[in-house]
Amino acid sequence: MNAETFLIILSGIPWTIAITVGAFTMGALLGIPLCAMRVSKSGILRYMATMIILILRSIPPIVWLFFLYFGIGSGYLQVGPIESSIIALGLITSANLAEIYRGALKSIHVGQWEASHALNMPRWSIFKDIMVPQLVRVILPSATSYMIGLLKDSAIASTVGVTEVAFQANFVSRRQFQGLEVFAVAGLFYILISLPIAAIARYTDGVMRAKVAR
Amino acid sequence: MDQLQHQNRVTFPGLDSDQGSVRGQVERKSSMANQTVKPKIVERDEIVRVSNLGKSFGTHKVLEGINLTVRSGEVLAIIGPSGSGKSTLLRCLNQLEPQTEGIITLAGITLDAAKPASKKQLNDLRRAAGMVFQSFNLFPHLTVLQNVSLPQQRVLGRTKADADTRSRALLERVGLANKADHYPVRCSGGQQQRIAIARALALDPKIMLFDEPTSALDPELGLEVLAVMKELAEAGMTMIVVTHEMHFAETVSNRVMIMADGRVLEEGPSASVMRDPQTERAKRFLQAVRNR
């Protein structure tokens, strides 16, 4: 284990973070319309959302990735390894976050809606001023633990050649015929990245809880 | 109830004193304390009219053939056993539950079950009617001041400074000026309900609807809410109060309506309905609640 090995693995971190953040952002945004469909008044939309969520979540991430990269990417569209990884993980994330959003919506007492309507608050204000702040509080803990899970799942991008942490570790270990230290270092990096995510989440949750503890 | 008045004296100068002055001797004293103006007798306008109202959930009939009028400045108490449809009736009045039969006219807005209410009608209706819920329903993520202030800014377009000033004045009047910067969880149930009353009043409603405002409170905390409501009534606010507080129904309201099984059993001046009910069912109900 020398400094060069260490640096090579270190050089994977930007890609690991990029895939995690990219997939999470995509999922967080796509999860909103998916959740809206899931709780829609229209039966068809609800059914469609349920099926989309079921399909997205039932198929393992690596199968989605290969489907995109080797399937669609090789024949129909030009999809690079990074794009495929972000899209595959992002799609699965959208399904999971849609369900987290839905749980949060359910957790808001019906009285909050009734009071808002009885006060005659405009729609956008009910959403922006009343619902979103309360939803964020409920969503944040589950969403951050999901994000930490996603960070670890981002390692599957190594299978299509994205030079992130797991790929670099694998590369170094093959070259130097040593696995233990190399993968231990990679593992340590994953821990180091997830610690600040958890810390920020705990801090914000604490602040919000102190304000509106029930 | 009389000692309550001193415990928690509040006045609502924003209200039209003409409305208040016609109600009777007690209130004339309170609103005229610092003035020597002779009370004017004014014609009280009808503010609510409900004709042949019905409400069903699926095949289950909750309300049937309800007729009701409330004049400006009147306080109507609606009492009756649980499940009699009292709350549903109140919720129909501001269309949290649209009725399935009949016509509601409130503050000049007419809503017919036969045709769906337009967005404008709903807005006008809810603007005219303030509502106070059994479970308070304050916004937990906003401070007490923001709870009262934000709806004014969003609904009436008042500036933040203006809304905050009015909110502080209202909180002062419900005796909670010192709680302005707290979050609702830090307030007792009675305080939360008084904040909810201030929040509804801040939008200058023409009529206030109370849906069992003290049912979620222990008796002592209920008293402070009733005191605020009494002051509000004396200041001339038109109120419809669904309640289990018999003393309030008898002494503060002008009229009482007794409901059972989705119908009106009796309706009339509070003294006569409460003391001398005509129907057997109403007699039984009043006896039961009195003997508690």
Side-chain angles (χ1 to χ4, degrees):
Chain A
M1 187 77 192
N2 52 33
E4 197 207 340
T5 318
F6 192 81
L7 285 175
I8 293 175
I9 304 175
L10 195 69
S11 74
I13 287 184
W15 287 122
T16 293
I17 293 177
I19 289 168
T20 307
V21 171
F24 189 82
T25 310
M26 178 180 158
L29 294 177
L30 277 183
I32 296 170
L34 202 52
C35 173
M37 280 169 72
R38 186 72 180 74
V39 299
S40 145
K41 280 181 194 140
S42 143
I44 302 165
L45 285 180
R46 270 206 315 276
Y47 181 76
M48 276 171 60
T50 313
M51 291 324 282
I52 293 172
I53 289 170
L54 183 78
I55 292 168
L56 285 174
R57 295 213 295 186
S58 308
I59 297 172
I62 199 158
V63 176
W64 272 118
L65 178 60
F66 286 177
F67 177 73
L68 284 170
Y69 184 67
F70 296 117
I72 294 176
S74 62
Y76 304 91
L77 277 168
Q78 236 2 56
V79 195
I82 291 157
E83 294 94 310
S84 312
S85 305
I86 291 179
I87 295 170
L89 291 171
L91 285 175
I92 298 168
T93 303
S94 72
N96 284 303
L97 287 184
E99 288 297 275
I100 291 176
Y101 295 164
R102 188 169 68 97
L105 270 178
K106 265 194 179 163
S107 79
I108 290 186
H109 193 264
V110 65
Q112 294 290 305
W113 297 98
E114 290 186 347
S116 308
H117 289 310
L119 287 164
N120 203 18
M121 304 268 280
R123 240 165 195 280
W124 63 267
S125 167
I126 298 179
F127 179 73
K128 173 177 81 80
D129 299 321
I130 308 302
M131 296 307 158
V132 169
Q134 296 191 58
L135 286 171
V136 167
R137 229 205 86 197
V138 185
I139 289 168
L140 198 80
S142 346
T144 39
S145 37
Y146 187 83
M147 193 174 182
I148 290 171
L150 189 63
L151 170 74
K152 293 175 288 178
D153 282 347
S154 72
I156 64 160
S158 65
T159 59
V160 294
V162 179
T163 55
E164 44 72 77
V165 173
F167 181 94
Q168 299 292 29
N170 198 22
F171 167 74
V172 173
S173 77
R174 275 163 198 249
R175 202 173 64 172
Q176 302 181 348
F177 300 106
Q178 48 165 269
L180 195 61
E181 296 96 334
V182 171
F183 284 110
V185 168
L188 186 70
F189 283 164
Y190 280 109
I191 295 175
L192 290 179
I193 304 170
S194 56
L195 282 179
I197 304 178
I200 292 168
R202 212 168 310 124
Y203 174 76
T204 24
D205 191 48
V207 169
M208 287 188 288
R209 225 167 261 280
K211 272 188 186 173
V212 293
R214 266 181 257 218
Chain B
M1 186 65 66
D2 279 337
Q3 82 271 15
L4 284 178
Q5 226 176 308
H6 305 290
Q7 211 175 30
N8 229 322
R9 196 153 232 340
V10 283
T11 48
F12 299 91
L15 297 172
D16 185 352
S17 61
D18 274 356
Q19 289 183 344
S21 62
V22 291
R23 197 180 291 120
Q25 203 56 44
V26 188
E27 133 215 2
R28 213 168 292 164
K29 254 189 254 159
S30 83
S31 61
M32 294 294 148
N34 303 320
Q35 302 167 27
T36 50
V37 185
K38 269 191 189 169
K40 279 190 289 189
I41 302 297
V42 291
E43 191 64 32
R44 283 188 281 171
D45 309 325
E46 203 173 275
I47 182 160
V48 176
R49 173 180 284 269
V50 170
S51 357
N52 199 29
L53 181 106
K55 171 75 185 174
S56 310
F57 293 103
T59 54
H60 180 55
K61 270 203 165 139
V62 186
L63 293 173
E64 208 178 346
I66 308 279
N67 292 300
L68 168 71
T69 51
V70 177
R71 294 181 174 281
S72 178
E74 252 179 355
V75 177
L76 170 72
I78 305 179
I79 60 174
S82 297
S84 57
K86 313 180 293 282
S87 289
T88 308
L89 171 58
L90 203 67
R91 292 160 61 88
C92 283
L93 289 179
N94 75 349
Q95 296 287 298
L96 282 180
E97 305 281 2
Q99 77 270 29
T100 44
E101 270 171 63
I103 296 168
I104 294 172
T105 305
L106 191 148
I109 302 119
T110 300
L111 296 162
D112 192 333
K115 50 184 177 204
S118 71
K119 187 130 182 60
K120 164 126 180 36
Q121 279 183 312
L122 276 184
N123 276 338
D124 291 349
L125 180 83
R126 289 179 177 156
R127 188 107 156 226
M131 185 147 185
V132 173
F133 298 87
Q134 180 177 348
S135 51
F136 330 132
N137 297 343
L138 294 176
F139 304 128
H141 61 294
L142 299 177
T143 63
V144 169
L145 182 70
Q146 288 167 335
N147 261 281
V148 185
S149 183
L150 185 78
Q152 298 179 60
Q153 298 167 45
R154 297 292 183 262
V155 178
L156 302 178
R158 285 177 183 156
T159 63
K160 185 174 181 304
D162 182 24
D164 280 354
T165 313
R166 289 169 191 261
S167 303
R168 284 188 194 279
L170 274 166
L171 286 172
E172 175 93 50
R173 285 179 199 128
V174 297
L176 292 170
N178 58 335
K179 291 280 179 186
D181 298 320
H182 289 55
Y183 283 89
V185 278
R186 302 259 180 269
C187 302
S188 72
Q191 292 170 337
Q192 291 195 40
Q193 193 61 298
R194 286 187 278 154
I195 297 160
I197 293 173
R199 180 175 70 172
L201 285 175
L203 300 176
D204 302 329
K206 293 200 174 72
I207 177 169
M208 286 283 285
L209 311 173
F210 292 85
D211 187 6
E212 303 197 22
T214 58
S215 296
L217 300 172
D218 68 48
E220 206 179 355
L221 295 180
L223 287 182
E224 64 190 45
V225 173
L226 290 171
V228 167
M229 289 167 62
K230 186 179 179 185
E231 292 291 345
L232 191 56
E234 287 170 353
M237 176 56 86
T238 312
M239 294 159 61
I240 302 182
V241 186
V242 169
T243 187
H244 290 292
E245 304 277 354
M246 295 304 139
H247 192 76
F248 181 91
E250 194 157 351
T251 58
V252 180
S253 62
N254 316 93
R255 287 196 302 137
V256 171
M257 188 165 114
I258 306 182
M259 288 182 67
D261 306 319
R263 293 167 178 279
V264 178
L265 284 182
E266 304 206 7
E267 198 266 309
S270 42
S272 70
V273 172
M274 296 297 283
R275 277 177 216 144
D276 186 23
Q278 300 300 306
T279 61
E280 208 42 53
R281 182 75 185 86
K283 272 179 201 165
R284 255 192 297 143
F285 170 73
L286 285 172
Q287 210 150 40
V289 291
R290 287 235 164 86
N291 290 343
R292 221 167 24 153

